[in-house]
Amino acid sequence: MNLVGAKLKNFYDFTNKNEGENRLKPQSVQVKIPHYQRPYEWSSENVSLLVNDTLNNSDGQYFSGASVSSIHNEYCHELVDGQQRYTTLFLINYCVFLISRVALREALTIGAYVHANTLAETLKKSMEYIFTLKQDGNGSKLEISDITKEINRLINLDDDDPECDMRRISELKAQRTNLKKSSEGVTELYYSSVFEKKYSELLTIIKEKGNAAIKDDSDPGLESFYALAVITDLKQQDELYVQKNMDLQRYFFDNAKFRITYARNKYVELIKESLVSIDFTLSSQVSLSIMDNNPKFLSNYKTAIQTIFEEVSNRIKEKNPLENAVQTLKMLTTILESLDICVVQTGNQSDATVLFDVLNDRSKELSQLSLIKNEFYKRVVIHNDQTDVLTDDELDKYIDKVDELWVDEIFNASAADAALVSYLGSCFLSGSTTTNYSSNGKETRTTISEYLRCQTKYAVEDLVFDVSLFHAIKVILTKVGVKYQKQNDVSLTAEAEHKSIFERTIKLLIAKKQEGILSGLINFTLFHVLTKQAKKACFDMNVLKNEIDLILSSENEVVNKQCLEIWISSLSSKDFLLPRKLSKQLISFYYKDKALSTNESCSLNTFMRDPSSRVELEAWLSEWKYKSSNQFDVKVLLINLMSCDPRKNIKLRGRSPQFISSFKDASSCHLDHFEPKSLPSINMNAYFQSENRDDLVNSLGNMMLLTQVDNQRKSDSPAIEADKYYSNSDISGSWLYKALHENFIKYSNEGVPTEAFFTERKKELISQIVEMLHS
């Protein structure tokens, strides 16, 4: 790894090289945020914490973390990690610029030259760390000198291709001539020589005036100040003051380079517009206050500036407006001087990104979703740097397009939704059968990183496909109606309404927290959709939606058949092992690379459930007790059994089974004990009594489905009263109740169920459930 070193640095030293000669002043070096990085995202809480932790630190210097940058050249360092902290410091310095210019204007106006000298120095320094000015005059001498050295080197070079050298010498001489011409007669402030000249004039006037009073606005000190500070000479109360200031700033910002910049142009415009929107006011009568010139324009940059000012100004007790501003500036510069960052520099981008991955494995500041997005953008940017297929502007347009899709269409919902979509996407991209689902998404990100690492190329076309994949998954989950609250009720409702097996399977697996099994079904479905597309460059949302509609209407036998196998496997198994085995088969067979290399007309094979699942179903139902964790599974099975009378040969695959309407609100679907689970202290002869009572009354043989209302009204009455209640309730016409009634009549003694009632009914229910699922 090409490490240039690691050093603790404050804001002013941030771009100094860690090793070797610094030929440029640190304020002359730009900090660039690469294409794949997200924009500034820190909240008010993050900013407040940074400001207060620094100011509350009693040790002088405050360590705030690490940052990684790669040195492209001396004029620009690419910031790979640490953007949020550095940008916050940049915004603190921008506050220093805005406050120092209104404070200096006030000092010059009232003749407070003791403050004016310090404020002028503060203004100059803050501007130097906001902008990198155009090289001219003295500023271009270094560059001219470098070109002259290169010309002399080529002249003295003993080369096999002198003609090529002469062409290069000619180009360098023309470049040197243009630099010399650009140094002559420049008058704009965004040239470094003009900036230095204006500042020198202002300092000279301040020293000459000393403590003398300023008589009018034509004072040369104010004239030099207005020329230097990018501020209008209009009065603050003038109605054109705000607009004139904004116009001046925009003009200056368009010509001087920001010290912090972005590879993506839309972020450059975002920070520019944010900074233009904020200003400060100060006068002899009115204390320092912040002003939002465009309140309809919202951004994190503006919020951060407002938070910075609020946190610092709350600490200042001085009432005199100018003194208050001076103390505010001191506190802000204290942060810039005393907050240290461990800046790790590398000589190339690839090494920087390796460090970025290691540092952000802790995921304290970046959401997993942002890290995943960065992985895709980083990979396409690196590939484009290697191939030079697109210009930065062209690449920017592609990334902007997919970024809008990513933010607005795909990941615009809850964290649970984002975690699931990301996980399912990683399984289809990679074909990995070892990735486990977790809400924090760490394994998902690792899988995506490995997938990207294995790509021999990763052009914008690949990026478009992969992002369209996440979009496709989001569309599927939305059309199915996946919810992340009350998941059991959502699944039970789908079962009660006998929705398509596709919808029921997805909701069942989410309710059972079997996302690792759902991934197999999604891989199968996505693969199927791609076989229906004429082109596979990306997921065609129209084709996708049409295919999902067919699946949801049970008109797609291929996908629905596979769904049924997964649904049965999940409900048959005592845990996730057997259905996960089935899911792994689907993932390893149906994934991205195979889908893109497979003939369009290929047919999909259904992977069948494990033959042992039937035996496992019988086993766990036999052992099941009411207090077990899988009450939900029993509800699902009984809901389906109630609608599939085995005596009439209505099987699970029937499309329109009859069902009790009151159970359509599945949140009211309760498992009820026919014989109450607790033995009362009075009238005990009316209840079943046995040393095995607890096991028997909590077994499957004593269970019945009731609505919540009926369950509460029935209370803990004995079985004979429960039977009467059932016969007058909504379930009275159900075959499941009729079968229970027959068993009760057959296996009871004077209205009290015998042990045979529980054991025989359990055997009957198990047989019916097994037959329903595995016939």
Side-chain angles (χ1 to χ4, degrees):
M1 179 173 286
N2 183 13
L3 278 179
V4 182
K7 285 188 178 180
L8 286 177
K9 299 180 181 181
N10 65 20
F11 173 73
Y12 299 116
D13 295 330
F14 193 86
T15 50
N16 269 330
K17 288 177 66 177
N18 288 348
E19 295 178 3
E21 180 188 1
N22 284 286
R23 300 198 305 157
L24 297 176
K25 295 179 180 179
Q27 64 265 31
S28 300
V29 180
Q30 265 194 313
V31 174
K32 185 177 182 180
I33 312 299
H35 281 85
Y36 55 84
Q37 285 278 26
R38 70 211 193 285
Y40 183 62
E41 291 182 345
W42 262 17
S43 65
S44 295
E45 290 75 18
N46 297 126
V47 175
S48 296
L49 190 63
L50 184 78
V51 170
N52 289 310
D53 281 355
T54 308
L55 293 176
N56 292 336
N57 181 54
S58 59
D59 296 334
Q61 296 300 115
Y62 173 70
F63 175 66
S64 71
S67 177
V68 179
S69 65
S70 65
I71 303 176
H72 280 336
N73 54 61
E74 286 190 298
Y75 297 94
C76 182
H77 294 184
E78 186 167 87
L79 188 56
V80 177
D81 188 28
Q83 176 205 161
Q84 306 298 319
R85 280 190 301 277
Y86 179 79
T87 305
T88 303
L89 293 175
F90 175 85
L91 296 174
I92 291 172
N93 185 54
Y94 189 71
C95 288
V96 173
F97 161 63
L98 293 178
I99 295 171
S100 62
R101 67 180 192 160
V102 294
L104 179 55
R105 180 183 60 193
E106 178 63 16
L108 293 171
T109 301
I110 66 175
Y113 287 104
V114 174
H115 282 318
N117 191 72
T118 302
L119 288 169
E121 292 175 355
T122 302
L123 174 65
K124 178 178 183 286
K125 188 173 184 178
S126 66
M127 291 183 73
E128 288 175 334
Y129 280 89
I130 296 170
F131 313 105
T132 55
L133 303 179
K134 291 188 177 181
Q135 292 186 349
D136 64 280
N138 293 331
S140 64
K141 284 182 179 178
L142 181 63
E143 195 171 353
I144 292 171
S145 174
D146 287 345
I147 292 173
T148 301
K149 288 179 181 177
E150 179 63 12
I151 291 171
N152 291 334
R153 187 187 71 81
L154 291 171
I155 290 173
N156 297 320
L157 190 66
D158 185 11
D159 202 333
D160 294 334
D161 192 357
E163 186 177 341
C164 180
D165 291 342
M166 291 305 297
R167 283 199 304 269
R168 179 61 182 150
I169 289 169
S170 178
E171 290 171 359
L172 290 170
K173 285 183 176 180
Q175 187 178 345
R176 183 174 62 181
T177 300
N178 289 333
L179 274 173
K180 288 179 178 179
K181 287 181 179 179
S182 69
S183 304
E184 300 171 359
V186 294
T187 59
E188 298 283 9
L189 185 65
Y190 48 78
Y191 284 98
S192 59
S193 62
V194 177
F195 178 82
E196 293 290 345
K197 181 181 178 182
K198 295 295 183 184
Y199 175 67
S200 179
E201 288 175 358
L202 178 60
L203 282 188
T204 300
I205 293 168
I206 290 173
K207 289 177 181 178
E208 288 177 352
K209 286 286 184 177
N211 288 320
I214 299 295
K215 295 180 180 179
D216 54 57
D217 290 348
S218 64
D219 182 271
L222 277 170
E223 291 176 6
S224 294
F225 161 75
Y226 289 126
L228 176 69
V230 197
I231 193 170
T232 178
D233 58 2
L234 295 175
K235 302 293 185 184
Q236 287 181 160
Q237 58 269 29
D238 194 303
E239 63 179 13
L240 295 177
Y241 176 84
V242 170
Q243 189 59 51
K244 182 67 173 175
N245 257 353
M246 292 177 71
D247 291 343
L248 283 172
Q249 283 180 268
R250 279 201 179 91
Y251 177 74
F252 187 74
F253 290 179
D254 286 340
N255 287 281
K257 292 181 180 179
F258 275 128
R259 178 172 158 82
I260 188 172
T261 189
Y262 295 84
R264 297 175 67 182
N265 289 328
K266 75 171 186 177
Y267 295 157
V268 175
E269 294 303 315
L270 176 61
I271 189 172
K272 186 186 298 182
E273 188 59 34
S274 300
L275 299 189
V276 167
S277 300
I278 296 292
D279 207 347
F280 286 84
T281 59
L282 176 69
S283 68
S284 300
Q285 292 77 35
V286 182
S287 292
L288 188 66
S289 61
I290 195 166
M291 180 169 56
D292 187 348
N293 297 328
N294 187 4
K296 292 184 179 180
F297 178 74
L298 304 176
S299 78
N300 289 328
Y301 301 104
K302 290 174 64 174
T303 302
I305 291 173
Q306 291 163 342
T307 302
I308 290 163
F309 178 63
E310 287 170 6
E311 294 295 342
V312 172
S313 61
N314 287 337
R315 292 170 175 260
I316 308 297
K317 305 303 179 185
E318 176 61 51
K319 300 299 182 184
N320 177 276
L322 180 58
E323 294 291 343
N324 178 285
V326 168
Q327 289 191 24
T328 300
L329 287 169
K330 286 181 179 178
M331 196 166 288
L332 290 169
T333 53
T334 295
I335 298 172
L336 299 176
E337 292 170 349
S338 61
L339 189 147
D340 281 340
I341 298 172
C342 180
V343 182
V344 183
Q345 290 177 344
T346 70
N348 58 67
Q349 187 189 62
S350 60
D351 286 340
T353 54
V354 170
L355 284 171
F356 168 82
D357 289 338
V358 172
L359 291 170
N360 280 295
D361 186 54
R362 65 194 187 281
S363 301
K364 290 180 180 178
E365 295 178 5
L366 297 181
S367 71
Q368 288 295 325
L369 201 55
S370 291
L371 286 168
I372 288 170
K373 184 172 71 169
N374 284 0
E375 290 283 349
F376 286 111
Y377 293 175
K378 177 176 68 179
R379 189 67 182 84
V380 78
V381 169
I382 292 173
H383 174 77
N384 195 66
D385 285 345
Q386 294 168 344
T387 58
D388 243 359
V389 174
L390 301 173
T391 65
D392 279 356
D393 284 345
E394 290 170 334
L395 182 61
D396 194 28
K397 288 178 181 177
Y398 271 104
I399 292 180
D400 280 348
K401 185 176 180 180
V402 297
D403 197 52
E404 288 175 8
L405 189 64
W406 184 281
V407 174
D408 299 335
E409 298 292 335
I410 305 171
F411 297 110
N412 59 353
S414 65
D417 184 66
L420 182 59
V421 172
S422 301
Y423 169 73
L424 296 174
S426 73
C427 292
F428 187 76
L429 288 176
S430 65
S432 169
T433 59
T434 59
T435 306
N436 296 312
Y437 173 80
S438 62
S439 58
N440 65 24
K442 284 191 174 182
E443 284 200 46
T444 296
R445 182 178 166 239
T446 300
T447 298
I448 290 175
S449 297
E450 181 63 19
Y451 155 74
L452 289 170
R453 189 186 67 80
C454 293
Q455 304 304 303
T456 54
K457 73 173 188 67
Y458 197 76
V460 290
E461 294 80 12
D462 301 295
L463 174 66
V464 169
F465 179 93
D466 289 353
V467 173
S468 78
L469 160 69
F470 289 107
H471 190 196
I473 295 170
K474 178 63 179 288
V475 168
I476 291 172
L477 298 181
T478 301
K479 288 186 78 68
V480 168
V482 169
K483 306 291 182 185
Y484 298 95
Q485 303 294 328
K486 298 183 177 179
Q487 294 169 353
N488 285 10
D489 291 347
V490 170
S491 174
L492 291 172
T493 299
E495 297 291 344
E497 295 179 351
H498 205 75
K499 297 292 188 181
S500 73
I501 190 64
F502 184 70
E503 178 176 338
R504 288 157 56 203
T505 303
I506 290 177
K507 290 180 176 178
L508 175 82
L509 296 176
I510 291 175
K512 294 184 69 174
K513 304 190 184 308
Q514 292 182 343
E515 294 85 358
I517 299 161
L518 177 60
S519 58
L521 173 57
I522 295 299
N523 272 33
F524 185 88
T525 305
L526 292 169
F527 195 102
H528 164 76
V529 171
L530 285 176
T531 65
K532 297 297 181 180
Q533 293 185 191
K535 297 180 180 179
K536 300 179 181 179
C538 65
F539 279 90
D540 184 321
M541 291 305 133
N542 291 325
V543 173
L544 173 79
K545 291 174 182 177
N546 182 62
E547 288 301 316
I548 299 303
D549 286 340
L550 291 173
I551 294 168
L552 289 172
S553 63
S554 301
E555 295 181 29
N556 186 303
E557 185 62 28
V558 174
V559 176
N560 285 329
K561 185 178 179 182
Q562 185 63 72
C563 286
L564 187 61
E565 289 299 317
I566 295 170
W567 187 90
I568 293 172
S569 180
S570 178
L571 286 170
S572 297
S573 305
K574 64 179 179 180
D575 50 36
F576 66 90
L577 295 178
L578 288 182
R580 178 59 174 162
K581 178 182 175 182
L582 173 58
S583 177
K584 287 182 176 181
Q585 290 178 303
L586 292 167
I587 293 170
S588 60
F589 200 82
Y590 299 110
Y591 60 98
K592 177 189 173 181
D593 284 351
K594 191 164 184 178
L596 298 185
S597 61
T598 299
N599 187 286
E600 295 171 7
S601 61
C602 78
S603 59
L604 278 72
N605 297 316
T606 302
F607 282 84
M608 308 304 289
R609 61 189 179 274
D610 193 295
S612 65
S613 59
R614 178 182 184 126
V615 175
E616 188 161 311
L617 174 62
E618 292 175 338
W620 81 257
L621 286 175
S622 297
E623 297 169 1
W624 183 85
K625 294 293 182 290
Y626 180 76
K627 296 179 181 179
S628 301
S629 59
N630 50 355
Q631 286 188 32
F632 168 74
D633 300 64
V634 172
K635 285 184 182 181
V636 173
L637 292 170
L638 290 182
I639 281 176
N640 281 276
L641 190 62
M642 186 177 279
S643 62
C644 302
D645 188 346
R647 297 173 300 183
K648 296 181 181 179
N649 201 32
I650 298 177
K651 301 301 181 184
L652 185 64
R653 294 166 180 78
R655 291 188 182 178
S656 303
Q658 299 299 311
F659 197 71
I660 310 304
S661 60
S662 57
F663 284 100
K664 297 291 180 71
D665 177 12
S667 61
S668 71
C669 181
H670 282 225
L671 280 181
D672 178 56
H673 290 73
F674 177 63
E675 168 73 13
K677 59 182 176 181
S678 299
L679 188 65
S681 57
I682 58 174
N683 194 25
M684 294 178 61
N685 291 334
Y687 295 83
F688 170 70
Q689 298 182 57
S690 166
E691 61 181 19
N692 298 323
R693 185 181 199 280
D694 189 58
D695 282 342
L696 292 169
V697 299
N698 285 301
S699 69
L700 182 64
N702 194 40
M703 295 297 113
M704 188 62 190
L705 288 179
L706 270 188
T707 63
Q708 182 180 22
V709 173
D710 282 335
N711 193 25
Q712 290 172 343
R713 287 176 179 171
K714 172 182 161 288
S715 188
D716 287 337
S717 53
I720 191 167
E721 296 299 324
D723 184 48
K724 292 177 184 178
Y725 190 90
Y726 288 170
S727 68
N728 293 306
S729 71
D730 282 348
I731 68 169
S732 60
S734 163
W735 79 266
L736 194 61
Y737 161 66
K738 292 176 181 178
L740 178 145
H741 176 73
E742 292 171 3
N743 273 280
F744 177 59
I745 297 300
K746 185 176 181 180
Y747 301 109
S748 63
N749 184 11
E750 297 182 356
V752 177
T754 63
E755 185 169 325
F757 166 79
F758 303 104
T759 56
E760 293 303 316
R761 184 166 183 266
K762 182 170 80 169
K763 289 178 185 177
E764 188 175 284
L765 284 176
I766 291 174
S767 175
Q768 290 164 346
I769 291 171
V770 171
E771 180 67 15
M772 177 180 68
L773 265 61
H774 294 278
S775 61

